[in-house]
């Protein structure tokens, strides 16, 4: 018997914010136009506010493994940053200082005087920029496998050293070829539109110790979010502003607020080297039995570190 063809519209609808929020009991979808850009965010829980920023190539849904536990103690606000998910994807404004201004405007829109802010990957870069530029609004800062761009990025290998580019990412000599690929304008959209699942599956296998912990639902959610040319273009714009971000960082004074840095086996030693000069009150935690996607691989360890730090 011939199988019915999958309806793309129905498939997309299955991964809409309205459908996915059902997996976040007690959370609601919200939208706000701030700093000239429309942002989507989800909110749940009560208590002191904790803003959460996701990274590439994910969306707000990446906090699903930890959000319900966090919401037991905090007012959790998970934001699709500029260019991500259901948030607007303008042509410009992807430098981390502008994206931090987006977050400030959202904080003010919500009537919050001060927040703790937590970011993973690209979200960690934006969270750090927010802390650098608006320290009066930050209670505590948490970054996971992602910190503000620095000149160290300019030393990344174009060609991987012998024996370091294998099935899994090398923690001592990580080779992140997509950092260069995402710099290219126009081409990635043509190559990946309609095929983003291939990149996702390869990436999760490469940067996770156990990529089985990234569920098929999660993979489908992110593939649906990044599978069109506009979404790929916007996400790559986060990478294409790194030179501007590096220049901005040169004028930032060290952070005074408490900072928790959580590193996987991939990023721990780099955070250990790079963060002490820019964070005076640094708490560094290594989760060495996890790859880059820590929420999915080791949510219990992440929650323990976060709760210990915030309380």
């Amino acid at each position: 018997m011939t199988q019915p063809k999958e309806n793309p519209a129905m498939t997309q609808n299955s991964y809409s914010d309205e459908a996915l929020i059902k997996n976040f009991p007690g959370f609601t979808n919200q939208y706000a136009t701030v700093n000239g850009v429309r942002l989507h965010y989800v909110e749940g829980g009560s208590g002191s506010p904790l803003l959460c920023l996701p990274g590439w190539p994910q969306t707000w849904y990446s906090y699903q493994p930890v959000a319900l536990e966090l919401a037991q103690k905090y007012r959790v606000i998970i934001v699709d940053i500029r260019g991500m998910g259901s948030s607007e994807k303008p042509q410009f404004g992807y430098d981390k200082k502008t994206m931090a201004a987006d977050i400030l405007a959202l904080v003010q829109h919500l009537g919050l005087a001060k927040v703790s802010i937590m970011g993973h990957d690209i979200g960690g870069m934006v969270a750090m920029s927010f802390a650098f530029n608006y320290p009066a609004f930050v209670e505590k800062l948490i970054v996971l496998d992602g910190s503000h761009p620095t000149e160290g990025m300019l030393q990344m290998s174009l060609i991987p050293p012998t024996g370091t580019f294998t099935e899994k990412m090398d923690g001592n000599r990580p080779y992140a070829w997509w950092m260069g690929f995402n710099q290219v304008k126009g081409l990635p959209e043509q190559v990946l539109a309609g095929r983003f699942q291939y990149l996702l599956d390869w990436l999760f296998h490469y940067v996770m110790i156990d990529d089985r912990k990234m569920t098929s639902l999660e993979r489908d959610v992110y593939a649906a979010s990044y599978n069109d040319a506009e979404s790929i273009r916007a996400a790559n714009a986060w990478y294409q502003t790194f030179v501007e971000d590096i220049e901005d960082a040169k004028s930032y004074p060290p952070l005074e607020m408490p900072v928790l840095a959580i590193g996987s086996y991939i990023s721990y030693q780099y955070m250990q080297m790079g963060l002490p000069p820019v964070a005076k009150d640094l708490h560094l935690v290594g989760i060495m039995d996890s790859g880059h996607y820590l929420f999915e691989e080791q949510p219990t360890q992440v929650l323990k570190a976060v709760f210990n730090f915030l309380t």
Side-chain angles (χ1 to χ4, degrees), residues 145 169 171-172 207-210 261-272 284-292 294 297-298 301-302:
D145 259 34
M169 200 170 197
N172 296 315
V207 302
M208 297 178 73
I209 292 176
D210 184 1
I262 303 176
S264 72
Y265 88 91
I266 291 169
S267 297
Y268 176 76
Q269 65 175 308
Y270 292 93
M271 300 177 90
Q272 188 177 41
L284 185 63
V285 173
I287 302 182
M288 309 309 284
D289 54 352
S290 177
H292 179 62
L294 299 113
E297 285 206 73
Q298 297 296 346
Q301 292 187 56
V302 169

Side-chain angles (χ1 to χ4, degrees), residues 57-93:
Q58 296 180 290
T59 67
W60 66 274
Y61 198 76
S62 67
Y63 279 83
Q64 195 273 337
V66 296
L68 297 185
E69 289 293 327
L70 291 171
Q72 295 298 312
K73 296 186 178 182
Y74 301 98
R75 178 184 175 185
V76 178
I77 303 160
I78 311 170
V79 186
D80 275 334
I81 55 179
R82 175 187 293 244
M84 174 183 285
S86 297
S87 288
E88 196 172 351
K89 300 172 175 63
Q91 291 296 317
F92 304 102

